[in-house]
Amino acid sequence: MSNWLLVVYRDWLGHVVHRLKQELLKQNYLHIDETHVQVLGEPGRKNTSNSYMWVYCSIKDAENPVRYFEYQPGRGGKYPEAFLKGYEGYIHTDAYSGYNGIIGVKRCLCYTHLRRTFVDALPKDVHTPEASKPAEAILRLNKLFDLEAELETYSPDQKKKERLLHEKPLLEAFWSWAEKNAVGELPKSKLSKAFHYALNNRQEFFQYLEDGHCSISNSLAENCIRPFVIGRKNWLFAGSPKGASASAGIYTLVETAKANGLAPMKYIKYILSDMPGSAFLEHPEYLDDYLPWNPMVKELCQ
């Protein structure tokens, strides 16, 4: 990223990105994911070290959706803990232990990840006796996804009622079955790991039943971070920590614009053409004029 772009980001775009973060943290439901990125010139680290791009997303039906990207030099739990300090709400994640130390949140684990562990445990020959347990687990979990598909158009309150009526018994039966069938499996086998993935995180897998706004999957965050993953295959690395942070900001603006039905290039051009004449430094509330759900922005940037 050129020095000119870094100046543009620092002087104008970065202020909008920070304002989007403030709006995101007002919301009660988030999806979170992370992926590695190579960043050159990090103090005290080799250029071959893995750094990480984190993404924090509004839920699918959020009134003001935000897709917030944040570069950090590591994957440790201290990064989401710092980002979410003081936040109280639901977060959707995988079972990565780095999220365990976040205080004040309710964590909903991803059933897509859980199902994937049993898919990975299937032997190549699915007709062998060894395939029966992982196949049974996948069948049971698929019923959950089928039920969720039927609830797609329901209101959150209706969805909660239907989940408690139809999905909770299914989940209780699944965990009872998993407890019995995990016995005797070789500790290091893929199937044993799949069973323990479920059994060790039962509470977090049941958490979504509390609120109809919650989801059984973290696919939304995975889909949000996919454009970054695809782009990484082309540009390979960030040239500096400042460049990585600015890149995170640009991805925030682009993906948030898309989530709000805007044309990303129109949106960024609008910010750059209008903000230099704004007194937003003296009046921070003026930044609201550049949020993607502002009526003028929606009119000019769709």
Side-chain angles (χ1 to χ4, degrees):
M1 184 172 286
S2 69
N3 289 334
W4 179 81
L5 284 175
L6 286 173
V7 171
V8 167
Y9 178 78
R10 181 196 65 199
D11 290 349
W12 295 301
L13 299 179
H15 294 281
V16 179
V17 170
H18 179 69
R19 185 71 186 86
L20 287 170
K21 177 182 177 180
Q22 292 176 327
E23 286 298 309
L24 177 71
L25 292 176
K26 292 179 183 178
Q27 301 180 14
N28 293 324
Y29 314 91
L30 300 179
H31 288 260
I32 309 173
D33 199 9
E34 79 288 332
T35 188
H36 65 87
V37 59
Q38 187 178 358
V39 180
L40 307 184
E42 290 179 316
R45 306 186 77 208
K46 295 181 179 179
N47 285 339
T48 54
S49 301
N50 272 339
S51 298
Y52 283 83
M53 189 66 76
W54 298 75
V55 66
Y56 301 83
C57 305
S58 307
I59 59 173
K60 181 180 177 181
D61 298 324
E63 183 178 358
N64 298 324
V66 178
R67 311 286 185 255
Y68 191 90
F69 289 73
E70 182 183 60
Y71 149 72
Q72 291 291 359
R75 196 187 178 213
K78 63 182 180 180
Y79 301 113
E81 287 174 28
F83 187 93
L84 296 171
K85 185 176 181 180
Y87 176 80
E88 295 181 355
Y90 290 88
I91 61 172
H92 298 77
T93 72
D94 57 27
Y96 169 50
S97 61
Y99 298 110
N100 292 348
I102 302 174
I103 298 172
V105 301
K106 294 183 178 181
R107 188 173 170 195
C108 301
L109 292 189
C110 175
Y111 279 88
T112 301
H113 280 82
L114 176 59
R115 181 171 60 181
R116 197 176 298 157
T117 63
F118 287 102
V119 171
D120 291 342
L122 279 172
K124 291 183 178 180
D125 186 353
V126 296
H127 300 292
T128 61
E130 290 77 14
S132 60
K133 287 184 181 180
E136 174 71 12
I138 295 167
L139 180 64
R140 288 172 177 267
L141 293 172
N142 281 344
K143 290 180 180 178
L144 173 65
F145 282 91
D146 290 341
L147 288 170
E148 279 294 304
E150 295 176 7
L151 304 180
E152 185 68 26
T153 60
Y154 283 43
S155 71
D157 287 342
Q158 289 175 313
K159 190 175 288 187
K160 178 180 177 179
K161 291 178 182 177
E162 292 296 314
R163 283 172 168 174
L164 291 174
L165 182 63
H166 299 292
E167 295 182 8
K168 186 178 180 181
L170 185 153
L171 298 181
E172 290 173 341
F174 172 81
W175 259 265
S176 178
W177 171 85
E179 287 176 353
K180 295 176 183 178
N181 284 272
V183 177
E185 293 296 329
L186 295 175
K188 294 185 179 181
S189 70
K190 290 182 178 180
L191 182 56
S192 178
K193 291 178 180 178
F195 276 131
H196 283 89
Y197 187 90
L199 296 174
N200 293 341
N201 298 290
R202 184 184 187 278
Q203 179 178 343
E204 288 78 9
F205 275 114
F206 275 69
Q207 198 82 260
Y208 81 100
L209 294 170
E210 289 187 3
D211 194 308
H213 291 91
C214 295
S215 173
I216 66 166
S217 172
N218 196 34
S219 296
L220 188 149
E222 291 185 344
N223 291 335
C224 288
I225 211 167
R226 185 169 291 118
F228 178 86
V229 174
I230 294 172
R232 184 181 60 201
K233 294 179 180 179
N234 296 315
W235 46 259
L236 301 179
F237 57 83
S240 69
K242 287 183 178 179
S245 292
S247 176
I250 296 299
Y251 272 98
T252 295
L253 293 172
V254 168
E255 294 305 316
T256 299
K258 288 160 61 176
N260 284 273
L262 306 183
M265 284 303 296
K266 286 184 179 180
Y267 179 49
I268 292 175
K269 286 180 179 178
Y270 173 74
I271 295 173
L272 292 178
S273 64
D274 198 82
M275 274 193 80
S278 171
F280 66 89
L281 291 177
E282 293 80 16
H283 302 280
E285 67 273 14
Y286 288 2
L287 287 172
D288 290 359
D289 294 341
Y290 304 100
L291 298 180
W293 45 84
N294 179 280
M296 180 65 72
V297 173
K298 292 185 78 69
E299 180 180 345
L300 296 175
C301 301
Q302 284 184 335

